[in-house]
């Protein structure tokens, strides 16, 4: 059974930082793309970042480039999202998600391409 469990969300002031963690089970890093999606109230879900360890590839949405960093710990089946210089527009529920494809094979910036996702963790950035 595939499971993805997020943690690390919370309330932070503008300019602050948070680190999200995603621990997964039921599959391996091999041949999977693992990413972070987010959904703000009244908005569509968007892909924020993803990583393909096998292909050594990483993606960032333009809105977070230079502020967010995705990383992985293969020994712990964990993916992290370090979020710095947070802005009120980063406020959303953040979901860890995985797709059964490499980044070169899929539209990794399309949230609908992801096969699995966790329950989400709330990130709120106050102004």
């Amino acid at each position: 059974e595939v499971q993805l469990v997020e943690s690390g969300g919370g309330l932070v002031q503008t300019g602050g930082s948070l680190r999200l963690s995603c621990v997964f089970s039921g599959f391996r890093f091999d041949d999977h793309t693992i990413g972070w999606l987010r959904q703000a109230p009244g908005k569509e879900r968007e892909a924020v970042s993803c990583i393909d360890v096998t292909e050594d590839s990483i993606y960032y949405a333009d809105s977070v480039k230079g502020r967010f960093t995705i990383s992985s710990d293969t020994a712990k089946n964990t993916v992290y999202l370090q979020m710095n210089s947070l802005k009120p527009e980063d406020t959303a529920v953040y979901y860890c998600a995985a797709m059964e494809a490499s980044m070169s094979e899929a539209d990794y910036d399309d949230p609908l391409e992801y096969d699995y996702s966790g329950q989400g963790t709330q990130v709120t950035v106050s102004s």
Side-chain angles (χ1 to χ4, degrees), residues 76-111:
K76 296 182 179 180
N77 278 2
T78 301
V79 174
Y80 304 97
L81 186 68
Q82 178 66 44
M83 305 186 296
N84 298 330
S85 302
L86 283 162
K87 305 174 182 180
E89 50 263 44
D90 294 318
T91 295
V93 178
Y94 284 70
Y95 299 90
C96 181
M99 67 169 74
E100 295 174 341
S102 60
M103 284 180 64
S104 62
E105 298 174 330
D107 293 330
Y108 47 81
D109 58 347
D110 182 351

Side-chain angles (χ1 to χ4, degrees), residues 20-24 29 71-80:
L20 306 183
S21 299
C22 170
V23 180
F24 64 85
F29 274 105
S71 62
S72 63
D73 186 332
T74 56
K76 296 182 179 180
N77 278 2
T78 301
V79 174
Y80 304 97

Side-chain angles (χ1 to χ4, degrees), residues 12-44:
V12 65
Q13 291 185 333
T14 296
S17 298
L18 285 173
R19 188 176 82 154
L20 306 183
S21 299
C22 170
V23 180
F24 64 85
S25 60
F27 65 95
R28 307 194 314 176
F29 274 105
D30 298 6
D31 300 321
H32 285 79
T33 295
I34 304 171
W36 290 93
L37 315 176
R38 70 183 180 185
Q39 188 163 19
K43 295 188 177 181
E44 294 187 351

